[in-house]
Amino acid sequence: MRAFKKMDVDSDGYISHSELEKALTTRGEKMTTEEVNAIFSLADVNEDGKLDYAEFCRLLVSTVEHCQVAALERLEANAKLKRQNFGSQSYSPPKSSASSASSSASSSAAQASATLPQPPETPRAESDTTLKKDSRSSSRPSSARSRRSSLSNSITMTSNSTKASKIPEPSGLQEWHHSDMKGCFFLEDDESISSLQYQLHVSHTTNVYLTIQPLGLSHGPDKPSSWMTVDTALFVMSAGETKEDSALVCFTDTKDKEKCVWKGELNAGTYYLLPFTSGCKLKKRSKKSLSNKPVELVYRTDTGELDLTRELREVLSDIFEVIDLDGNGLLSLEEYNFFELRTSGEKCDKDAWAVCKENFDMRKNQLTRQGFMELNLMEATEKDGDPADLWVTLEAMGYNQMLELVESCPFQLDVHCEGTQPSIQPLSMDSGPKLLNQALQKSITAKTGAKALRGQDNVFIYIYRGEHRISSLIANKANQKVTVHVNNEQSRNCCSSRGMSVFAVEVPARTKMVCQHILPINERQDWTYNCVETILPGT
């Protein structure tokens, strides 16, 4: 609408054929005259040779929505088939008898073809790409060759082992210097996970106590906080002159209830704090189970004025809590811009912030909770009660149409220093998927030895075994890419970040790639990670 209005010199809601043709054939992705004429041939938007662009926009949005619904329905209908389809071959479940467990695993590995749909993981390695079907997809390796090129790993974790050996809080912790910061993991459309990252500065060498945990929100006590079960961790990297010079210093590998902890000594300097979640418990949810009718966001009062519903006010208050990164009860321009970039992709400049100051409740040049409510009410009022833009904001922040927080996980990190005041500053959302992946890889390879796949001198598997998480990494030291088939079907009481028990990953030449993360489904019960990795033929 904004783009059309710039062409509507008369501001009468219409654009002439000549004006539109000039704009669409000379700017941007240039259209042909025939394509412009096709737009004008739409009877619904053609008014005596003029374009009713408001109606055109309505039709366009309606068409997009119908296409999305149709595409999602097709995807959901085919999802199960796609997960079970190994290229040109059908998937057969393993035999149920215990005696055939190992043979069915190796048989499954032996029969897998070279094409398999690959869901995303977090953090995604730069080289982690979706596998494509090739001409070898129907070939099968012999059982002998499959055994020679495979590796089986089995780890049983007892319920006692998941009761972490707690790191005791340092004595006198309440007297230590303290800084905290909030943030949020967001599940993206491609199922990758993003979050803010942070910079920590300590002025001199000191003992440090680090924690990260999901953030409990005060509103909606009658609603279960599903995100409180999401696993969290924090990686600390030294800040070099460039991010390539950064090195892993430590990470929180001990858990105390929802809190992950690290205690040790940090030298004076600047560090990156990189929040992490495995993705095992933060996944896209089916929308079929939701009511067809979304929660009301706005209503008209007895005097006919628009207002926000109580349900929306509670959710907006929670959102304010999350984006108030330093917890001072006010939103600075920097904090508000993290919210704007997340929900609209645009930043609010200082001039626009000055306009906010004139219209909404502010204190110390920062937006109050009440001002944040007023801003959202203005957005609804400008649209005459149409909640479409409000829904865009809510969905970007992880809420569904029942106003449940299902596709994000707020968190809080705390830094206690014994001898100096720590300083924490947030970095941009796009500041470091590569840096986090580098830290994650190093944390896996530094804690465990490599195992070579049988018959392969250049392909190695690393398995990190923490108190509550198992992570695997594939290192391909060969000069050509390899495709590795992964079978977790014999694992018990486990969930994978891949979302599937059988999948394949393509590892480019001379590259390391995080393969998957495994968490227990029920931490009160024993759980077994049993994985067979097999190099597929011809790769």
Side-chain angles (χ1 to χ4, degrees):
M1 285 290 288
R2 284 196 296 269
F4 277 128
K5 283 178 180 176
K6 288 181 180 178
M7 291 183 255
D8 182 10
V9 292
D10 301 326
S11 299
D12 61 356
Y14 298 95
I15 300 174
S16 71
H17 186 289
S18 59
E19 288 171 334
L20 186 66
E21 181 176 13
K22 180 180 178 182
L24 296 183
T25 58
T26 61
R27 297 180 186 176
E29 188 175 344
K30 300 176 183 63
M31 297 176 71
T32 65
T33 301
E34 291 74 19
E35 288 170 327
V36 176
N37 290 337
I39 293 175
F40 269 89
S41 70
L42 296 170
D44 291 337
V45 299
N46 187 4
E47 185 78 22
D48 296 329
K50 296 184 294 183
L51 179 76
D52 181 350
Y53 58 83
E55 179 63 13
F56 177 81
C57 288
R58 190 193 68 76
L59 287 172
L60 177 64
V61 172
S62 174
T63 301
V64 170
E65 289 173 349
H66 281 104
C67 289
Q68 280 185 322
V69 169
L72 284 171
E73 287 176 351
R74 284 197 300 272
L75 283 172
E76 289 175 2
N78 292 330
K80 186 175 180 181
L81 178 64
K82 287 183 178 180
R83 289 192 188 101
Q84 295 179 349
N85 181 28
F86 297 91
S88 60
Q89 299 171 15
S90 298
Y91 160 71
S92 299
K95 297 174 185 177
S96 58
S97 64
S99 61
S100 64
S102 61
S103 63
S104 74
S106 57
S107 173
S108 237
Q111 294 176 3
S113 77
T115 71
L116 188 72
Q118 179 185 347
E121 65 174 292
T122 175
R124 176 176 293 279
E126 286 186 297
S127 53
D128 192 357
T129 55
T130 303
L131 300 183
K132 295 181 173 60
K133 186 176 290 188
D134 66 21
S135 59
R136 294 183 294 269
S137 62
S138 60
S139 65
R140 297 178 180 226
S142 68
S143 296
R145 177 175 178 175
S146 175
R147 285 194 296 271
R148 284 199 302 272
S149 301
S150 69
L151 177 67
S152 176
N153 288 288
S154 182
I155 300 173
T156 297
M157 306 282 279
T158 65
S159 57
N160 287 333
S161 68
T162 64
K163 295 175 182 176
S165 51
K166 293 183 182 179
I167 293 180
E169 281 191 359
S171 59
L173 184 66
Q174 295 174 344
E175 305 300 322
W176 287 26
H177 303 279
H178 171 240
S179 287
D180 59 29
M181 194 65 67
K182 287 180 282 191
C184 194
F185 297 112
F186 293 106
L187 188 57
E188 306 293 356
D189 288 339
D190 63 357
E191 295 197 43
S192 63
I193 294 175
S194 62
S195 82
L196 285 174
Q197 297 181 343
Y198 306 86
Q199 189 169 281
L200 167 69
H201 181 75
V202 292
S203 58
H204 56 267
T205 301
T206 181
N207 289 322
V208 175
Y209 184 69
L210 289 175
T211 66
I212 183 172
Q213 61 187 319
L215 175 67
L217 299 174
S218 56
H219 293 275
D222 55 325
K223 296 179 181 178
S225 302
S226 58
W227 68 89
M228 294 300 289
T229 63
V230 172
D231 60 296
T232 60
L234 188 65
F235 292 84
V236 181
M237 296 191 79
S238 61
E241 290 186 10
T242 66
K243 289 184 178 177
E244 285 70 24
D245 297 330
S246 299
L248 179 66
V249 176
C250 62
F251 63 99
T252 56
D253 56 353
T254 299
K255 190 175 177 184
D256 181 5
K257 296 182 179 178
E258 292 91 12
K259 186 185 296 184
C260 278
V261 180
W262 179 83
K263 183 172 71 172
E265 185 180 84
L266 288 182
N267 293 325
T270 301
Y271 300 87
Y272 293 120
L273 301 181
L274 312 176
F276 166 76
T277 183
S278 68
C280 293
K281 296 187 177 181
L282 185 60
K283 293 186 176 297
K284 289 284 182 183
R285 300 194 180 190
S286 170
K287 296 183 179 179
K288 285 188 175 181
S289 59
L290 296 178
S291 166
N292 291 331
K293 188 176 180 182
V295 171
E296 294 290 336
L297 302 183
V298 295
Y299 73 102
R300 290 197 179 272
T301 65
D302 295 339
T303 60
E305 295 181 344
L306 282 169
D307 201 357
L308 307 177
T309 62
R310 177 183 60 82
E311 293 85 356
L312 177 57
R313 285 183 177 275
E314 287 184 355
V315 166
L316 290 175
S317 187
D318 284 346
I319 290 175
F320 183 93
E321 194 76 23
V322 172
I323 61 179
D324 177 19
L325 302 179
D326 59 9
N328 70 344
L330 301 167
L331 295 183
S332 66
L333 176 57
E334 183 184 29
E335 289 171 327
Y336 181 74
N337 272 333
F338 286 130
F339 167 74
E340 275 293 302
L341 286 169
R342 175 68 202 167
T343 56
S344 70
E346 299 176 352
K347 274 189 173 184
C348 175
D349 59 25
K350 291 183 179 179
D351 291 339
W353 194 243
V355 174
C356 287
K357 190 174 183 179
E358 294 173 4
N359 291 276
F360 310 120
D361 188 39
M362 281 206 177
R363 196 184 314 147
K364 301 177 183 177
N365 200 36
Q366 298 183 84
L367 193 64
T368 66
R369 193 181 301 261
Q370 178 59 32
F372 186 63
M373 298 291 175
E374 293 168 354
L375 189 151
N376 283 277
L377 176 57
M378 183 206 71
E379 190 171 90
T381 304
E382 283 186 340
K383 300 291 183 180
D384 195 30
D386 183 352
D389 287 352
L390 290 173
W391 278 119
V392 169
T393 296
L394 294 169
E395 290 174 1
M397 294 301 293
Y399 288 86
N400 64 18
Q401 292 198 332
M402 303 308 293
L403 295 185
E404 298 166 329
L405 187 62
V406 293
E407 294 188 357
S408 63
C409 171
F411 61 81
Q412 176 168 321
L413 56 92
D414 292 84
V415 180
H416 295 82
C417 291
E418 185 177 25
T420 184
Q421 177 64 45
S423 170
I424 310 175
Q425 294 295 325
L427 302 173
S428 64
M429 289 283 287
D430 59 354
S431 59
K434 182 178 179 182
L435 198 61
L436 177 57
N437 194 62
Q438 179 184 336
L440 187 59
Q441 289 187 6
K442 186 64 178 177
S443 72
I444 296 172
T445 57
K447 291 271 186 174
T448 182
K451 291 184 179 180
L453 270 73
R454 264 193 213 103
Q456 297 290 330
D457 296 330
N458 294 313
V459 182
F460 299 88
I461 306 294
Y462 293 82
I463 297 180
Y464 161 75
R465 173 181 174 174
E467 290 175 341
H468 291 264
R469 168 173 57 90
I470 293 173
S471 297
S472 65
L473 177 144
I474 303 172
N476 176 19
K477 298 185 179 180
N479 291 321
Q480 64 274 349
K481 69 179 181 182
V482 297
T483 303
V484 179
H485 174 271
V486 181
N487 188 319
N488 295 323
E489 289 177 311
Q490 301 306 315
S491 294
R492 294 292 178 265
N493 188 28
C494 292
C495 55
S496 168
S497 58
R498 290 278 180 169
M500 295 187 290
S501 59
V502 180
F503 56 90
V505 289
E506 186 176 272
V507 189
R510 312 198 71 78
T511 300
K512 294 175 183 174
M513 182 186 299
V514 176
C515 177
Q516 64 177 334
H517 308 288
I518 298 289
L519 292 181
I521 296 172
N522 184 343
E523 293 190 3
R524 296 179 181 178
Q525 298 177 1
D526 294 354
W527 52 294
T528 300
Y529 166 67
N530 192 318
C531 183
V532 178
E533 286 107 348
T534 305
I535 294 184
L536 297 183
T539 71

